[in-house]
């Protein structure tokens, strides 16, 4: 029986594990992949204090290096469900169960798919959701980035170091991305925009993507354009299927908590991107992880 089981080793979960173990609690941190979460798919981070600029995977490594210094244990596993038995919670992974007096959910979210023809067929053959993973394959190539948020615009800028040209396709005529990111994109000679436009289809040959069909929503005109790669950044969906039976999610699947990261079930906390909130950032994930780590300690003291 662990004092706390943290599910997900992104910045939120790693910080919760660090704080709880530093309070002398027994901690198990369960992760289904490489520690670091979405930081592993992020090119450059320049809004995390302490670093003027750092590559996402490097920041992930640095955080992970410090996580176990106070005794937190790690386990590989995909958490499939959590059951609440009051004084303890049962965490079920595919081939193993764990018991914890408390749980911190830090499973984050995943990139949303567009659902257009060709997206699935050409995934890994020109369709990507990760510029830092795949950008280098597209030297001197013609790329399309779909979306108008921070991810689309920032990763679009990153791709210009490899690509011949990057066209950002956005369904409205103004970007959602932060102003500083927008200004950089507008000033970048390799970036072009298609406003009020959506991607309708991705097609190619047996090997790779060769063209995209783009529709202008205002004029209703369609164009088929040569393309070597399509990077899709149209938002995020919460990773909360495993917690559906707990009734702690809202209609869209995000977990609701109070400002102390408590869900409506005593002893179950949620932190980071998986929460219903406005600002999904590394710095907020880390802050919430610290709060939850401390709240777990308080909860265990109160229920002793
Ligand atoms: P995540 O980082 O998503 O980590 C969740 C972890 O939980 C993952 O490792 C996942 O594998 C694991 N997990 C999920 N489900 C399970 C399960 N069932 N069982 C076991 N493990 C599970 N923020 C910034 O501050 N600055 C930036 O420059 C920046 N750039 C970004 C660029 C991109 C392309 C993207 C997508 C995001 C960016 N962000 C940036 C946002 C930032 O990465 C996130 O806000 C942050 O990573 C959220 O941390 P988290 O720990 O809540 O979740
Ligand atoms: P986002 O902010 O939700 O933006 C998604 C974009 O995709 C929006 O521009 C949206 O258009 C568009 N879109 C959604 N569905 C679409 C569809 N079906 N067809 C076409 N376009 C569609 O998602 P995100 O950019 O991935 O950012 C997620 C979170 O991570 C945000 O909180 C963001 O701030 C954070 N983040 C931060 C940084 C940073 O701080 N540097 C970098 C990356 C991400 P509309 O604008 O019309 O809605």
């Amino acid at each position: 029986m662990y004092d706390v089981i943290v599910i997900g080793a992104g910045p939120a979960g790693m910080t919760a594990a660090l704080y709880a173990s530093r309070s002398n609690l027994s901690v198990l941190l369960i992760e289904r992949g490489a520690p670091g979460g979405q930081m592993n798919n992020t090119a450059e981070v320049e809004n995390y204090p302490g670093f003027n600029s750092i590559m996402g995977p490097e920041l992930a490594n640095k955080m992970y290096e410090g996580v176990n210094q106070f005794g937190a244990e790690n386990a590989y596993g995909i958490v499939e469900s959590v059951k609440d038995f009051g004084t303890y919670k049962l965490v079920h992974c595919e081939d193993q169960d764990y018991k914890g007096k408390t749980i911190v959910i830090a499973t984050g979210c995943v990139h949303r798919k567009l659902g257009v023809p060709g997206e699935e067929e050409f995934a890994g053959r020109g369709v990507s959701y990760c510029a830092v993973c795949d950008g280098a394959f597209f030297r001197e190539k013609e790329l399309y980035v779909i979306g108008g948020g921070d991810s689309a615009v920032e990763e679009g800028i990153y791709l210009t170091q490899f690509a011949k040209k990057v066209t950002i396709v956005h369904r409205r005529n103004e970007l959602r991305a932060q102003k500083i990111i927008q200004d950089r994109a507008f000033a970048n000679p390799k970036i072009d925009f298609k406003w009020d436009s959506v991607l309708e289809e991705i097609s190619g040959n047996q090997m790779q993507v060769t063209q995209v069909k783009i529709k202008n929503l205002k004029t209703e005109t369609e164009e088929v354009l040569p393309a070597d790669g399509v990077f899709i950044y149209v938002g995020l969906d919460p990773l909360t299927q495993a917690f559906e039976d707990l009734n702690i999610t809202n209609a869209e699947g995000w977990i609701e908590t109070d400002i102390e990261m408590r869900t409506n079930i005593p002893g179950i906390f949620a932190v980071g991107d998986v929460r219903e909130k406005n600002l999904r950032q590394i710095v907020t994930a880390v802050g919430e992880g610290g709060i939850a780590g401390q709240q777990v300690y308080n909860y265990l003291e109160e229920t002793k």
Side-chain angles (χ1 to χ4, degrees), residues 2 31 33 81 88 136 152 160 170 178 203 212 214 240 245 261:
Y2 289 91
E31 170 58 51
S81 68
Y88 75 94
T160 59
H170 185 37
Q178 298 163 53
S203 49
V212 288
I214 309 279
T240 49
D245 292 347
M261 309 304 135

Side-chain angles (χ1 to χ4, degrees), residues 8 103 111 147 168 170 181 257 299:
I103 301 290
H111 55 74
I168 296 178
H170 185 37
I181 300 175
T257 74
Y299 171 84

Side-chain angles (χ1 to χ4, degrees), residues 38 42 44 46-47 112-114 146-155 169-172 174-178 181 197-199 233-236 273 278-281:
Q38 294 170 65
T42 301
E44 201 179 345
E46 52 179 32
N47 54 1
R112 190 175 293 150
K113 295 202 169 153
L114 259 182
I146 317 300
D150 286 339
S151 296
V153 182
E154 204 164 51
E155 302 306 304
V169 180
H170 185 37
R171 64 184 177 182
R172 293 187 290 132
E174 62 180 344
L175 298 170
R176 177 181 293 276
Q178 298 163 53
I181 300 175
S197 298
V198 290
L199 175 71
Y233 290 105
V234 291
L236 304 165
D273 275 15
N278 289 327
L279 190 60
R280 293 196 168 84
Q281 297 273 280

